[in-house]
Amino acid sequence: MGFGDFNYNTGCVDDLTVTDNQDRDLVLQTVASTVPFFFEKYPDARVTFHGSTEARTRLYLMEITKRLGNLDAAFYIQGLTDGGWESFRKNGRYKAILVNRKKTVI
């Protein structure tokens, strides 16, 4: 999953631009809200989040930590460290976040 500002000159999405138009939280919330719909269509898929910079990855970690209580019931969340993937924990220092849906048993 990737997102950024569309550069009309190059025809590409630029994930390094800082537009600072005060909609960061809305953009992150919108992107996060698409994940459950993605897993409805692709229940066995995995989604990886990481920023184009360390600072952006930290931002994503903070946003996931804010919503962790709501996410734990439906998703397995892991963080990538130098030693590999581990269960996500608050205040962990991760290079990326991996999310996959928990299986529903009926």
Side-chain angles (χ1 to χ4, degrees):
M1 175 179 296
F3 59 96
D5 289 346
F6 185 76
N7 183 323
Y8 291 96
N9 295 325
T10 65
C12 296
V13 174
D14 183 351
D15 64 353
L16 294 172
T17 298
V18 177
T19 53
D20 199 22
N21 53 2
Q22 309 301 310
D23 64 350
R24 178 194 74 191
D25 291 344
L26 178 62
V27 169
L28 291 175
Q29 183 178 355
T30 301
V31 171
S33 71
T34 67
V35 173
F37 296 106
F38 175 81
F39 281 121
E40 282 180 23
K41 184 158 177 103
Y42 306 100
D44 296 324
R46 295 178 177 188
V47 176
T48 304
F49 295 92
H50 63 89
S52 52
T53 65
E54 285 185 40
R56 288 182 184 195
T57 299
R58 279 193 306 274
L59 173 64
Y60 303 158
L61 290 170
M62 289 187 297
E63 291 300 315
I64 287 174
T65 298
K66 280 189 214 175
R67 294 167 174 75
L68 197 55
N70 298 335
L71 299 173
D72 266 353
F75 302 102
Y76 292 111
I77 305 171
Q78 297 177 295
L80 180 62
T81 68
D82 288 334
W85 293 101
E86 66 179 34
S87 292
F88 186 88
R89 53 189 168 76
K90 289 183 179 183
N91 301 319
R93 295 185 57 100
Y94 300 117
K95 298 176 182 209
I97 303 102
L98 178 68
V99 179
N100 60 304
R101 192 169 87 161
K102 291 181 178 178
K103 304 287 186 227
T104 305
V105 179
I106 299 176

